[in-house]
Amino acid sequence: MIKNIFFFLLICLLCVQCQSEQSSVVSVKERSILVDDSIYTIKGICYHPVPIGSVNERSFEKLSEDLSLMREAGINTIRVYSPIEEEAVLDEIAAAGLKVIIGFGYNQEGHYDIHSGSFIDYVQKYKNHKAILFWELGNEYNYHPEWFGGDLKNWYRAMNQAAEKIHQQDANHPVATAHGELPDSLALATCPNVDIWGMNVYRWDNPETIFAQWSAISNKPMYLSEAGADSYMSIAKDGYAQGVNELAQADATRKIAETTLNNRDICSGLAIFAFVDELWKAGGKDTQDTGGWAPNSSGVPYDGAPNEEYWGIVDINRNKKQAFYVLKDIFTRKRNMTHILKNKNIELHIDLPSENYQFSRFDWTGKIAMVKYKDIRVTGVERTDSVDQNKFGRGLYNEFGIERPIDFDETEREDYFHKIGVGSLKKSEDEYRFSHEYEIQPAEFDFRSSDNKVCITCKSQKRNGYAYELKKEIELFDDHFVVNYHFRNTGSKTISTDEYVHNFLAINEDLIGSQYLLKFPFEIQAGVVGAIVNPEDKVLVGKNEITFRGTPNEQFFYSHLAGNREVAASWELINTKSKIGIRETDSFTTAKVNLWGWTHVVSPELFFELNAKPGELVEWTRTYELFGID
C-alpha cells in the first residue's frame, strides 16, 4: 500500500513538472497576438547566422553571444527561415527569455517541408517547447509563381492545407505566413486557415500606408515579417554619402520601427532584417561584397539597391552598428504610457510625464510626441543623427525659459533651480545652457484623461521663494485641437519668463524644400532685431512668407521675425506636394517670433511672455488646425 502511494505521488510530481515545462498558450484575438492571454508585441529580428567562409550553412556557434546582444537590444522574438533542429538551441533561446517564429519551406527535398508533409513531424516534436511563438509557412512565395506551375493558387491551397494540419496537431500555437507585401483577395480567400499574416514590406523608410490598407481588407492580426535597410549606399542620395553608411541604415531603421510600433492597434510588431551581416550572398564567401538581388527591392532605403551582405544590425564579427543602438532605444523604450487622442481626421500621441523624453529642457506636461492628419504624419523630430532620441525634441514639445530659468542667477553652484514643467535642476556651471544635461529632481505630476481630452498638472517644490502649479489641457475637436495653459504662482516672488512651442514640423516626413510654404499674418522684418543664420542661402524671406530653395544641409535660424513689434501670434505651414497644411493661432500677441530648421524639419516658434505675481493665475491658449488644400 505504501509502495502504491509512493508511486502515485511520484507520477503526480512528474506530471506537474512536465506541465510546468510546457510552452505558453499562444492565441489570436481580433487583431492581437496573445501569449497566455496577454497581448504580445513582436520586437523581432530575422536570424540566419552564416559564418565567414560558409555558403549558406547556418551555424549556432555564436548563439550565446548573439542572445546576449539581442537581449541588450530589447529583442523578444527571433524569426528563422527554416526549423531549428537542435533542441539545445531552442532550450538556450527559451532560457534567455526569447521566443521563435519557426519557418517552413515548401520544397526542401523532404526535410521538414510542406511538399512532403514532413513539416508536421517537427510540429509534433516541438509543439510543447517554451521557445515556440508560432509556425510560419513560406517566405514571400507569392513572388515566385514559377515554383508552383505558374499558378499561385497551388501555393495558397498547399499553405491552407498545411495550416489546417497544424491546427489539428497543435491547439496552442497559431499559424502565419510571410507574404511579400500586402496579400490580395486571392490569397486571403484561399487561405482562411492562416491566423496571422506576416508581410515583408520595403516601402522606403515609411510602411505607414500598409496598416490602413490591411485594416480595410482583414480583421486578422498582422506583423511586418521583414523590414529594414542595409548599411551600404550604392549611390549618394537624400543627403547620404555613397559607400558604407551606417547612418542611412540607422535613420531608416528608426523610422520603420517607430512607425510600426506606433500602429499597434493594427500591427502586432515587426522583425527587422537582419541580425548579422551575411557574407555568402553577393560575392566571395570570405569577403564582404556589394550587390546581390532580392525581389521587389526598389523600395529599399535610401538607394533602392539591396546590398545583400550589409543588412545586419551587427557585422559578421558582432560589432554593433548604429542601427543596433537605434533598435535598442526603440525596443527598450516604455511604450505602454503613450496616450492617444484620435478622431476621423486627427491623431495625437501624448507621452506621459514619466515616459520617453526625460531630459532637462522641454516641458514634461503634455508632451505631444506626434500629430497625424488623416493617417499622415505632420510632425517630425529634432535630430535624426542621435543614438538617444529621448534627449531631444519631437512633435510639439514646449519649453519655459530657454535663455534663463526663473531663479538660475539666484542659485549657488551644486544647489537646485526651477525648470518649469520639469522640476529642479542642479546648477553645475555659471552659465545656463538649454542643451546641457542637468541632474533632475522631478516635479510632482498628475495625469487625467477622457475620450477627447487629457489634463496634466505639474506641482513644483518651493525653492528660493519660487513655486508654481501648471495645468495643461489638450482637447481634440473635429479638425483642430487646443492646448490650454493654466499657470498659478504659489510662491512669494514674481515669476517672469517665457514659453514657446518648438513645433517640429515635417509634413508627410518630407524633407524641407520647395514644396513648403510658411506664412505669417504680419510683415516679416528679418534682421531688424536679432540673429540670422542662413549659411547656404536656401531660406527665402518674402514680405509675409518664407520658402525654400532646395533642401538645406545646414541648420538655419532667424530670431525676432516681427522686429520689435507686437503681432498676432500665428503661422501657417503648407506642403504643396502632400496638399496638407497646419496652422497655429494663439490667444495672445507676441513680440518674439523665431524660426529654426534643418534638412528634415522646420520649426516656427511663437513666444508667450509669462509674468505672474504671487497668487496670480495666468492663462493662455494655443490652437492647432489641420486641413487639406486643393
Side-chain angles (χ1 to χ4, degrees):
M1 181 70 178
I2 294 176
K3 183 178 180 180
N4 290 339
I5 293 174
F6 175 78
F7 180 75
F8 175 76
L9 292 175
L10 179 61
I11 292 297
C12 290
L13 179 62
L14 289 173
C15 288
V16 170
Q17 183 177 355
C18 290
Q19 182 67 30
S20 68
E21 293 177 353
Q22 286 182 354
S23 66
S24 303
V25 175
V26 184
S27 59
V28 298
K29 183 179 181 181
E30 297 175 343
R31 295 193 181 277
S32 297
I33 299 170
L34 306 180
V35 175
D36 293 332
D37 293 327
S38 295
I39 292 176
Y40 187 89
T41 299
I42 297 169
K43 300 176 182 179
I45 199 78
C46 298
Y47 188 49
H48 191 66
V50 176
I52 296 174
S54 178
V55 181
N56 197 17
E57 294 182 4
R58 187 175 63 184
S59 170
F60 294 108
E61 61 184 1
K62 291 192 175 184
L63 178 66
S64 297
E65 180 181 1
D66 291 351
L67 288 174
S68 178
L69 288 166
M70 290 179 193
R71 291 186 66 186
E72 179 186 345
I75 292 166
N76 65 4
T77 307
I78 296 169
R79 177 177 179 250
V80 295
Y81 295 85
S82 60
I84 297 173
E85 299 182 46
E86 304 92 330
E87 187 167 2
V89 172
L90 291 174
D91 291 343
E92 189 171 351
I93 292 170
L98 279 73
K99 291 194 174 294
V100 188
I101 299 169
I102 296 289
F104 295 111
Y106 178 71
N107 189 347
Q108 305 298 316
E109 299 180 350
H111 193 72
Y112 289 142
D113 65 8
I114 298 168
H115 180 67
S116 68
S118 57
F119 74 96
I120 203 67
D121 298 332
Y122 187 92
V123 172
Q124 291 172 329
K125 183 176 181 179
Y126 289 113
K127 64 182 180 181
N128 291 323
H129 200 286
K130 290 186 287 187
I132 305 301
L133 181 63
F134 53 76
W135 314 108
E136 192 162 76
L137 306 175
N139 182 63
E140 54 190 32
Y141 283 179
N142 56 300
Y143 293 150
H144 297 283
E146 71 275 11
W147 294 352
F148 306 97
D151 189 350
L152 282 177
K153 287 182 182 178
N154 295 327
W155 160 236
Y156 293 143
R157 290 180 185 129
M159 177 168 61
N160 192 58
Q161 292 168 4
E164 183 179 17
K165 288 182 180 179
I166 293 175
H167 289 152
Q168 293 170 354
Q169 296 294 327
D170 181 9
N172 292 333
H173 297 95
V175 181
T177 186
H179 194 272
E181 265 286 336
L182 187 75
D184 60 15
S185 58
L186 173 65
L188 295 176
T190 314
C191 304
N193 291 323
V194 173
D195 306 301
I196 301 164
W197 284 83
M199 296 168 214
N200 295 2
V201 175
Y202 295 96
R203 299 187 178 186
W204 216 242
D205 62 1
N206 187 7
E208 182 91 33
T209 51
I210 200 166
F211 306 121
Q213 290 171 344
W214 175 251
S215 178
I217 61 175
S218 177
N219 59 5
K220 287 187 175 182
M222 69 160 289
Y223 84 109
L224 300 191
S225 40
E226 273 189 24
D230 62 81
S231 60
Y232 191 95
M233 289 288 294
S234 296
I235 58 173
K237 191 172 182 180
D238 291 345
Y240 298 103
Q242 185 179 12
V244 175
N245 198 315
E246 291 188 15
L247 177 61
Q249 182 191 32
D251 287 352
T253 299
R254 178 177 299 283
K255 291 178 180 179
I256 291 166
E258 286 191 332
T259 298
T260 303
L261 294 179
N262 284 333
N263 283 275
R264 286 171 296 160
D265 54 332
I266 297 171
C267 182
S268 292
L270 78 165
I272 288 289
F273 186 84
F275 179 72
V276 62
D277 287 341
E278 300 177 56
L279 272 56
W280 61 274
K281 284 190 167 182
K285 61 185 179 181
D286 299 308
T287 58
Q288 191 164 24
D289 305 289
T290 60
W293 177 87
N296 200 34
S297 57
S298 61
V300 172
Y302 286 99
D303 56 2
N307 287 287
E308 287 287 279
E309 297 190 359
Y310 284 85
W311 284 80
I313 62 170
V314 300
D315 68 19
I316 196 68
N317 295 311
R318 274 51 179 183
N319 297 308
K320 302 169 185 174
K321 300 183 189 179
Q322 290 185 37
F324 177 93
Y325 296 101
V326 163
L327 213 58
K328 177 181 177 180
D329 169 47
I330 295 169
F331 280 177
T332 60
R333 187 185 306 164
K334 294 180 180 178
R335 292 182 169 270
N336 58 331
M337 301 301 284
T338 296
H339 190 88
I340 297 177
L341 296 179
K342 186 175 182 179
N343 60 27
K344 64 180 181 180
N345 293 317
I346 301 173
E347 182 175 330
L348 305 179
H349 290 224
I350 303 166
D351 287 341
L352 272 64
S354 61
E355 301 301 328
N356 297 331
Y357 178 86
Q358 294 281 278
F359 200 64
S360 52
R361 179 181 179 183
F362 293 111
D363 178 10
W364 294 7
T365 61
K367 296 174 288 188
I368 301 177
M370 183 169 62
V371 178
K372 291 183 181 180
Y373 176 69
K374 295 188 182 296
D375 292 323
I376 294 175
R377 287 194 186 192
V378 175
T379 58
V381 297
E382 180 178 358
R383 300 185 72 99
T384 61
D385 59 348
S386 168
V387 170
D388 189 354
Q389 284 288 343
N390 287 334
K391 291 184 178 180
F392 295 95
R394 63 176 59 235
L396 306 182
Y397 281 12
N398 71 299
E399 179 182 11
F400 287 84
I402 181 175
E403 295 178 357
R404 214 74 169 174
I406 53 177
D407 56 338
F408 183 87
D409 291 335
E410 303 173 39
T411 303
E412 299 293 330
R413 275 202 182 200
E414 304 304 312
D415 203 353
Y416 288 82
F417 60 92
H418 288 281
K419 182 69 172 178
I420 296 175
V422 178
S424 298
L425 310 185
K426 189 174 184 179
K427 186 174 181 178
S428 56
E429 51 190 12
D430 292 333
E431 290 297 320
Y432 176 74
R433 292 182 295 131
F434 63 79
S435 59
H436 182 68
E437 187 169 2
Y438 293 94
E439 182 180 316
I440 304 172
Q441 291 182 353
E444 179 183 331
F445 295 94
D446 183 62
F447 176 87
R448 305 291 168 87
S449 67
S450 60
D451 288 344
N452 68 323
K453 184 177 180 180
V454 298
C455 179
I456 308 97
T457 58
C458 171
K459 184 177 181 181
S460 78
Q461 298 174 324
K462 294 185 181 296
R463 191 181 298 278
N464 302 326
Y466 296 95
Y468 63 87
E469 290 182 2
L470 169 65
K471 181 170 73 170
K472 188 187 293 183
E473 297 169 324
I474 304 170
E475 189 168 5
L476 179 62
F477 297 90
D478 183 57
D479 60 355
H480 68 282
F481 60 96
V482 179
V483 184
N484 293 303
Y485 296 78
H486 310 268
F487 184 91
R488 185 178 297 278
N489 185 344
T490 58
S492 57
K493 295 181 179 180
T494 297
I495 293 176
S496 295
T497 187
D498 55 24
E499 182 270 344
Y500 74 102
V501 178
H502 203 321
N503 299 292
F504 296 102
L505 304 174
I507 298 174
N508 202 23
E509 300 186 79
D510 285 348
L511 298 180
I512 304 308
S514 59
Q515 71 271 34
Y516 283 101
L517 172 63
L518 178 61
K519 298 180 180 179
F520 294 96
F522 54 82
E523 184 175 344
I524 298 173
Q525 297 186 2
V528 174
V529 178
I532 295 178
V533 180
N534 186 16
E536 301 166 288
D537 199 30
K538 290 186 176 179
V539 182
L540 306 178
V541 180
K543 183 178 180 180
N544 67 344
E545 64 185 33
I546 289 176
T547 56
F548 301 91
R549 179 169 38 219
T551 299
N553 295 311
E554 303 292 333
Q555 297 183 50
F556 57 86
F557 176 72
Y558 286 75
S559 68
H560 293 84
L561 289 176
N564 281 321
R565 299 169 301 156
E566 285 278 340
V567 297
S570 182
W571 54 260
E572 178 180 289
L573 180 69
I574 293 172
N575 185 324
T576 57
K577 177 182 175 182
S578 299
K579 299 188 180 301
I580 292 174
I582 179 172
R583 180 187 303 116
E584 178 185 353
T585 305
D586 300 336
S587 63
F588 52 87
T589 59
T590 182
K592 185 176 180 181
V593 180
N594 288 356
L595 176 68
W596 174 87
W598 207 349
T599 305
H600 60 285
V601 68
V602 61
S603 298
E605 303 164 352
L606 307 174
F607 283 74
F608 173 72
E609 285 294 323
L610 172 60
N611 293 286
K613 297 177 181 178
E616 185 178 2
L617 174 66
V618 179
E619 299 176 311
W620 66 103
T621 296
R622 297 180 184 271
T623 299
Y624 291 87
E625 300 171 76
L626 292 109
F627 52 90
I629 58 175
D630 297 328

